[in-house]
Amino acid sequence: VLLLDLGGWGDAITHLDVQPGPSLIDLLPHLSRLDGDAFARHLRTDAGTGLHVLPGVPRPELDDLVTAEHVERLLDWAVQRYDLAFAVAPTRNRDDRLALCARRADVLLLVTTAETTALRQVGLLLDWLEKRQVPWRERLHLVVNRAAREPLLSPAQVERWTGLRPAAVVPEDRRAVEQAVLAGRCLAASRPDHPLSRAVWQLASLVLPGQVDRRPPGGTWSAWGQRLFGRGRREPA
């Protein structure tokens, strides 16, 4: 499994136990002549899971150096060598790189928060994809991140704002996330019974339908999770 951090911030290695090293920016001058093995030497490996990671650019201002041609070559390489590849798509500037990632993906996860300004941006992004003739309706899942225990907006209200019913809701627990980052092990692996981790499992069931149970044993649901999927109900993926 591969994680390509194309998001323009380089945050992926912060949340994983990944040692510093070459990043996406170091790879760009060599993309045209690297074979697969040489390319693989630029990857880092998460010690806990074996996940391969290509770290993103170390500073946001370097993001403009990554072109659509670079992204296309990276995606071509990823699908040839990996069973499953995740790409954190570039969204700082809506451009051809984002449209390219959206066209190539089997599953799209659009992550937002429940603030009205953020939900308005969801609608603008979907309009942007439509104008570029990117087919997203059968592949896109809306993810509400950092949800409060008692949210101001219900899932139905989110749907009215965006036209999409949330497929997963990730609750807010800043302390737990920071502790996981400091420990160098992602929360979903270290505390699978935590409500936030259970939401991540729900996301995994969207990406790998039929292979991941959307509700691993133990733990409790967030308020939104209970309202979306039902308290105490165990559904097949």
Side-chain angles (χ1 to χ4, degrees):
V1 179
L2 173 69
L3 173 61
L4 295 171
D5 189 357
L6 308 175
W9 301 98
D11 288 338
I13 61 172
T14 302
H15 293 273
L16 298 168
D17 187 16
V18 175
Q19 297 298 318
S23 68
L24 172 61
I25 206 69
D26 301 302
L27 189 59
L28 297 184
H30 311 290
L31 277 178
S32 62
R33 59 181 183 274
L34 274 180
D35 59 30
D37 292 335
F39 200 177
R41 286 197 291 271
H42 286 74
L43 301 175
R44 309 271 67 79
T45 302
D46 172 41
T49 63
L51 173 72
H52 289 179
V53 181
L54 179 62
V57 297
R59 299 191 305 276
E61 63 268 22
L62 298 176
D63 182 53
D64 292 336
L65 298 176
V66 184
T67 68
E69 290 76 17
H70 292 139
V71 171
E72 185 160 28
R73 189 177 292 272
L74 286 165
L75 295 178
D76 287 341
W77 174 80
V79 299
Q80 290 172 8
R81 295 181 65 91
Y82 285 88
D83 296 320
L84 187 64
F86 295 91
V88 181
T91 56
R92 188 167 62 92
N93 297 311
R94 292 174 189 163
D95 55 26
D96 292 341
R97 301 173 306 164
L98 174 57
L100 176 63
C101 288
R103 288 191 182 96
R104 296 285 299 268
D106 295 316
V107 177
L108 294 166
L109 299 178
L110 177 54
V111 183
T112 184
T113 56
E115 290 89 2
T116 53
T117 51
L119 297 177
R120 182 174 181 274
Q121 290 297 316
V122 169
L124 294 175
L125 177 58
L126 297 179
D127 290 342
W128 184 87
L129 292 173
E130 289 279 5
K131 290 177 181 177
R132 280 151 184 80
Q133 299 181 332
V134 177
W136 57 266
R137 294 186 182 277
E138 301 301 323
R139 299 177 293 134
L140 187 141
H141 302 285
L142 183 67
V143 179
V144 177
N145 192 28
R146 299 177 62 184
R149 184 178 298 275
E150 296 295 334
L152 294 176
L153 296 179
S154 69
Q157 290 171 314
V158 171
E159 186 174 9
R160 282 198 294 271
W161 272 87
T162 64
L164 299 170
R165 186 167 182 82
V169 176
V170 182
E172 174 87 74
D173 191 335
R174 190 165 186 171
R175 179 180 178 85
V177 171
E178 289 299 323
Q179 288 175 336
V181 171
L182 291 173
R185 191 173 182 214
C186 62
L187 189 67
S190 60
R191 296 178 59 186
D193 61 336
H194 190 282
L196 193 154
S197 301
R198 296 169 68 81
V200 173
W201 280 92
Q202 169 68 24
L203 290 178
S205 74
L206 297 176
V207 177
L208 295 171
Q211 300 182 51
V212 177
D213 191 319
R214 67 173 63 189
R215 289 196 60 192
T220 59
W221 285 89
S222 68
W224 270 36
Q226 292 165 1
R227 290 161 67 181
L228 273 172
F229 307 113
R231 183 190 298 271
R233 187 176 69 223
R234 189 178 185 87
E235 299 179 1

